[in-house]
Amino acid sequence: MAKVRKVVFPAAGLGTRFLPATKAQPKEMLPLVDKPLIQYGVEESIHSGIQNIIIVTGRGKSAIEDHFDVSFELEHLLETKGKLDLLKQVRDISDMINVSYVRQKEAMGLGHAVLRARELVGNEPFAVVLSDDVIDAEVPCVRQLLDIHEFYGASVVALMEVPKEQISAYGVVDAEPVEHNGAQGRLYRVRNMVEKPKADEAPSNLAIIGRYILAPEIFQSIEEIPPGAGGEIQLTDALKHLLRSRPIYGLKFEGKRFDAGDKLGFLQATVEFALRRPDLGAAFRDYLRTLLS
Ligand code: UTP
């Protein structure tokens, strides 16, 4: 079975939930404490063993390319000022990855964005990471999915339980539990899925969140499906199409996911990540206490 060597980051969306901040700046570059959202996803991929990064960008997204590029002036300045720890931080991330870019000219949906990466991915399984889903986990979420993929040789999506009031914002699965490693309740075999169902029509409370391991046949499926919810080419619809010929597993991953593409989710992630920082946590906690007293 082919090893997963590449990860696709769709980053060509318009980020309308975060306007006006995203009018002239990509959502993926919003800083969570001091790192842009997309860097969390890239680091998760590296820690999962994948260094080949494919970023699907669009108009107004050049800050993403600059971020992963070498900045000669900045590096020179940090070097001459002897700020070597900062120099290391700036260099480390671009040294660790091979990054390529492909453009999605128009934001025609997540499925359409993934299809743009077809040439760069080739005929092998690959990962997809949506960088506005930031996941804090002991074992990186992508690694958890790769373990399932390596065991079953099939596509895997990350699942999360979502309250009924919020379910219509997600792709939702109809799935049967599968025993894995002697444990029940984490792994599912997907029977069907539906994008953004009405709360009463959702097949379960298990939503697909932004981490996938996909068989290359997904590209054919994306090509064959018509536009779905919101007139966009939806990845969930393509997965449903893929299900006709290939198995898909769903893993309730271990860890906590933040929807950092949404203002409230972003604030929650900011607070929790800042509290966990050795250099900031204590002072920030003290500050939060003054607000509550
Ligand atoms: P979202 O559903 O968060 O959409 O996309 P969005 O357009 O970025 O943001 P809102 O909902 O308007 O606020 C999930 C991921 O898919 C990418 C986005 O960049 C994001 O990482 N995407 C979405 C594309 O690359 N292209 C698209 O056409 C749509």
Side-chain angles (χ1 to χ4, degrees):
M1 185 190 40
K3 193 173 176 305
V4 174
R5 302 182 305 137
K6 300 174 186 172
V7 52
V8 175
F9 282 78
L14 300 177
T16 53
R17 283 173 297 155
F18 230 114
L19 282 167
T22 46
K23 186 181 170 200
Q25 178 195 206
K27 169 172 71 174
E28 295 74 14
M29 289 303 293
L30 293 172
L32 208 51
V33 188
D34 57 5
K35 269 191 291 191
L37 290 181
I38 193 164
Q39 188 168 336
Y40 287 88
V42 167
E43 289 179 0
E44 180 184 326
S45 304
I46 296 169
H47 295 142
S48 303
I50 312 180
Q51 281 84 26
N52 298 302
I53 310 286
I54 299 166
I55 304 181
V56 183
T57 65
R59 217 171 308 126
K61 301 276 184 168
S62 56
I64 299 177
E65 294 173 38
D66 291 341
H67 182 71
F68 292 112
D69 205 351
V70 176
S71 171
F72 290 109
E73 288 149 81
L74 177 66
E75 292 190 12
H76 179 69
L77 186 86
L78 294 174
E79 208 161 4
T80 49
K81 293 204 165 175
K83 299 197 167 173
L84 300 183
D85 50 337
L86 284 178
L87 180 64
K88 185 173 170 341
Q89 277 185 35
V90 166
R91 266 189 192 154
D92 268 1
I93 189 73
S94 38
D95 283 353
M96 277 188 312
I97 56 173
N98 301 314
V99 57
S100 18
Y101 299 92
V102 60
R103 272 176 98 93
Q104 184 191 24
K105 282 190 199 136
E106 222 183 309
M108 288 168 67
L110 177 57
H112 183 264
V114 170
L115 184 60
R116 298 293 301 126
R118 186 181 204 164
E119 289 297 314
L120 291 170
V121 169
N123 191 28
E124 56 183 89
F126 62 102
V128 174
V129 168
L130 307 188
S131 50
D132 43 359
D133 277 343
V134 179
I135 299 177
D136 182 40
E138 223 165 277
V139 177
C141 184
V142 169
R143 185 65 253 166
Q144 295 180 40
L145 300 188
L146 285 171
D147 288 343
I148 300 298
H149 173 261
E150 284 162 16
F151 194 89
Y152 292 94
S155 299
V156 192
V157 298
L159 297 177
M160 188 179 103
E161 284 178 16
V162 167
K164 197 172 175 187
E165 320 80 78
Q166 292 161 24
I167 200 83
S168 51
Y170 294 87
V172 182
V173 297
D174 168 13
E176 63 183 302
V178 175
E179 193 180 306
H180 179 69
N181 270 348
Q184 278 278 10
R186 287 229 162 257
L187 188 65
Y188 293 81
R189 175 121 182 214
V190 177
R191 279 191 290 243
N192 197 3
M193 48 183 87
V194 42
E195 180 65 21
K196 300 191 170 57
K198 291 192 185 120
D200 298 335
E201 291 166 15
S204 73
N205 66 346
L206 292 172
I208 304 173
I209 59 105
R211 300 289 184 279
Y212 311 76
I213 309 295
L214 299 175
E217 289 75 16
I218 192 72
F219 294 124
Q220 188 67 34
S221 293
I222 299 172
E223 276 187 337
E224 286 181 20
I225 54 159
E232 297 190 341
I233 305 284
Q234 297 287 356
L235 186 59
T236 308
D237 293 342
L239 285 164
K240 191 171 159 176
H241 183 277
L242 184 68
L243 260 182
R244 295 189 205 158
S245 57
R246 310 263 152 175
I248 299 179
Y249 288 84
L251 178 71
K252 249 197 310 175
F253 65 97
E254 292 187 40
K256 186 164 182 184
R257 170 257 190 188
F258 298 89
D259 180 4
D262 167 79
K263 288 172 192 171
L264 183 61
F266 182 86
L267 290 170
Q268 290 164 343
T270 301
V271 170
E272 293 207 25
F273 278 70
L275 284 173
R276 259 176 248 147
R277 282 274 295 252
D279 56 338
L280 288 169
F284 189 48
R285 183 168 287 107
D286 288 347
Y287 169 69
L288 291 180
R289 281 210 185 97
T290 66
L291 298 181
L292 296 173
S293 55

